Amino acid sequence: MKKSIKKVADLMLDAIFLVQDHGQIVFVNQAACAILGYRPEELVGRNLREFVYSKDLASTEAAMAKVLQGQHSRNFENRYVRKDGTIAHLQWNAYWMAEEQIRIGVARDVTERVQLSRTYESMAELATAAHHSGTLEMLCNSFYAILQRRTFCRGLALVLDGGRWSYVACGEMAQEAATLRHYPLEQAGIKIGELQISLESPHSDDEEILRFTAMQASAAIQRITLQAELLDAAQYDELTGLPNRRLFQDRVQSAILRAQRDSSGGALLFIDLNDFKAINDEHGHDVGDLLLKTIAARISLCVRSVDTVARIGGDEFVAVLESVASSEQAEVVIDKIRHAVAQPVLLNDICLHPSASIGLALYLQHGDSLRELMRHADVEMYADKMRQKSATVGVRH
């Protein structure tokens, strides 16, 4: 190329590439070098495909083939990898000079425009995903999908300091420090964990979007946590942590439906502490509350993980036993509960000797609705209480 023409080419703000049909670069101007970060001698003689970002190589080769067929390519956009590993977004006009057997391409660096546009789009997507995610798993999956498209993200993890969750991750989390970014997750200025993002390259021009992701994750986690706490308050007893009456009713209805479907049977136990009011009156509500928590834990240890223990009143508990076919099977559990409840309890230097009255109802034998089962179990519990009182009077006499 004549020196005068080369000087003119070097004055242009857009990149100019002259490329042979098989892809070998024969000329670049100063703008091309500035965009990619190479010296002219580092580009000339190499194949242009070497610099195309891998995910854009197929579309780039297809566009090159059309140019070689005589089609004038206008405003084609793809990505190139700079010498420092960062990504440049280029917009091309190219055509094939048949006589010289040279493809000329003029490229404009549109990285800033593309990044700004994608930043706004990604922020909108992230904010929407944060608002609609009901669990940390949903949040992690949504954020990962967005960042995969935006920042060449390989993996994403939410790492929380204790609490309900500890670690949720999507994709592949790289162990190399150079490609693993850490962003604090905060609520009211207090760190609650961190967002970890694994990138394909240690170089990233997306710091703004990554920090925005952490901010949205912090807000979403606060909302999800609050919703979980509200759900707990609606379904679990605050004192004992057991399911409350509302959740117990749902569990019984589900158990009855399973029993009807599978002909498997089941049992409902109505458990009432004896003389609990007297304990409260004599020792105070603090001791009474501690006793209830102790009894709740003891009853829970007497049943299987598939069973449900709930607190439905002051000193009233129920246990829903799955797949119990006979009263004999249920009586085994009742005996375990009686024995566990009756163990002495030492609270605030006060030794208590609790006991319980227990009523049994088998579904579907004693009813196929919650009302029928509770009515039968209540009658049986009251009869058990009377028997215990009669036995105590007999012993005194």
Side-chain angles (χ1 to χ4, degrees):
M1 178 176 288
K2 294 181 179 180
K3 289 185 177 180
S4 58
I5 297 177
K6 182 179 183 304
K7 287 181 179 180
V8 171
D10 285 338
L11 289 174
M12 297 184 66
L13 298 178
D14 290 336
I16 297 176
F17 291 82
L18 298 185
V19 183
Q20 294 177 341
D21 59 353
H22 55 272
Q24 185 180 32
I25 301 171
V26 296
F27 171 79
V28 291
N29 68 346
Q30 288 299 320
C33 295
I35 290 172
L36 297 182
Y38 291 94
R39 298 189 303 275
E41 59 269 23
E42 293 177 307
L43 293 172
V44 174
R46 295 175 65 179
N47 195 298
L48 187 63
R49 292 178 179 85
E50 297 178 38
F51 305 96
V52 178
Y53 180 62
S54 59
K55 292 184 178 179
D56 291 351
L57 188 56
S59 61
T60 300
E61 290 183 336
M64 289 179 179
K66 290 181 180 179
V67 172
L68 292 177
Q69 293 170 7
Q71 298 182 34
H72 191 169
S73 176
R74 293 182 182 275
N75 300 322
F76 173 74
E77 293 190 16
N78 62 358
R79 292 169 289 184
Y80 280 69
V81 182
R82 299 187 181 103
K83 187 175 182 179
D84 64 5
T86 58
I87 301 298
H89 295 262
L90 301 183
Q91 184 181 58
W92 291 86
N93 284 339
Y95 67 95
W96 174 245
M97 297 188 296
E99 292 183 5
E100 293 81 358
Q101 291 291 291
I102 291 292
R103 183 174 72 247
I104 181 169
V106 178
R108 177 161 296 176
D109 186 355
V110 294
T111 303
E112 186 174 348
R113 184 260 294 170
V114 170
Q115 287 183 336
L116 186 61
S117 174
R118 291 187 178 180
T119 293
Y120 290 146
E121 291 175 3
S122 297
M123 283 182 172
E125 286 185 87
L126 288 165
T128 300
H131 177 73
H132 290 291
S133 296
T135 66
L136 283 196
E137 288 76 12
M138 290 175 60
L139 182 69
C140 189
N141 284 323
S142 297
F143 278 13
Y144 173 54
I146 295 168
L147 293 182
Q148 249 192 325
R149 299 192 300 270
R150 164 65 183 164
T151 64
F152 318 113
C153 172
R154 289 199 301 180
L156 181 147
L158 299 168
V159 185
L160 302 187
D161 300 331
R164 179 181 299 271
W165 306 279
S166 57
Y167 185 85
V168 179
C170 301
E172 177 186 348
M173 296 303 298
Q175 299 303 313
E176 303 88 0
T179 57
L180 189 61
R181 301 287 182 87
H182 301 262
Y183 300 92
L185 299 173
E186 298 179 336
Q187 291 179 7
I190 300 173
K191 184 179 177 182
I192 61 168
E194 69 176 21
L195 172 69
Q196 297 179 357
I197 301 176
S198 175
L199 300 174
E200 292 184 5
S201 167
H203 306 284
S204 173
D205 297 325
D206 297 294
E207 189 66 19
E208 182 181 5
I209 197 69
L210 298 180
R211 292 189 180 280
F212 182 81
T213 303
M215 183 181 71
Q216 289 297 312
S218 297
I221 290 169
Q222 185 175 22
R223 177 182 54 77
I224 292 169
T225 302
L226 178 59
Q227 289 177 341
E229 290 173 351
L230 292 174
L231 182 61
D232 276 355
Q235 295 186 326
Y236 290 88
D237 176 52
E238 184 177 0
L239 177 64
T240 64
L242 294 177
N244 61 15
R245 181 183 291 272
R246 178 181 298 178
L247 184 54
F248 155 71
Q249 291 173 343
D250 291 341
R251 296 277 179 88
V252 172
Q253 297 291 359
S254 298
I256 291 172
L257 290 174
R258 281 193 295 272
Q260 291 173 332
R261 182 191 63 206
D262 304 332
S263 301
S264 56
L268 185 149
L269 308 183
F270 191 175
I271 306 162
D272 183 79
L273 293 185
N274 296 327
D275 301 319
F276 179 72
K277 184 178 184 301
I279 294 173
N280 253 346
D281 292 343
E282 182 177 353
H283 303 292
H285 289 286
D286 289 344
V287 171
D289 287 349
L290 290 173
L291 178 61
L292 289 173
K293 292 173 69 174
T294 301
I295 296 303
R298 289 181 176 183
I299 295 173
S300 297
L301 290 174
C302 294
V303 301
R304 302 160 299 179
S305 59
V306 296
D307 301 327
T308 297
V309 176
R311 182 187 177 209
I312 61 171
D315 61 343
E316 296 176 338
F317 299 86
V318 287
V320 182
L321 308 181
E322 300 273 355
S323 302
V324 173
S326 66
S327 58
E328 288 78 14
Q329 284 183 275
E331 288 292 346
V332 173
V333 180
I334 290 173
D335 289 342
K336 287 175 63 177
I337 294 174
R338 287 191 197 279
H339 179 73
V341 170
Q343 299 304 305
V345 181
L346 183 63
L347 299 172
N348 298 343
D349 297 326
I350 301 168
C351 188
L352 303 175
H353 298 273
S355 63
S357 299
I358 304 176
L360 166 65
L362 296 174
Y363 51 88
L364 305 163
Q365 182 177 330
H366 297 134
D368 58 3
S369 69
L370 174 59
R371 177 175 295 183
E372 291 173 326
L373 293 171
M374 285 296 294
R375 184 186 298 118
H376 186 88
D378 184 45
V379 171
E380 291 293 316
M381 184 275 294
Y382 185 75
D384 182 42
K385 192 178 291 288
M386 292 302 101
R387 283 193 296 270
Q388 292 186 48
K389 286 185 176 180
S390 297
T392 301
V393 171
V395 169
R396 288 175 182 172
H397 285 296

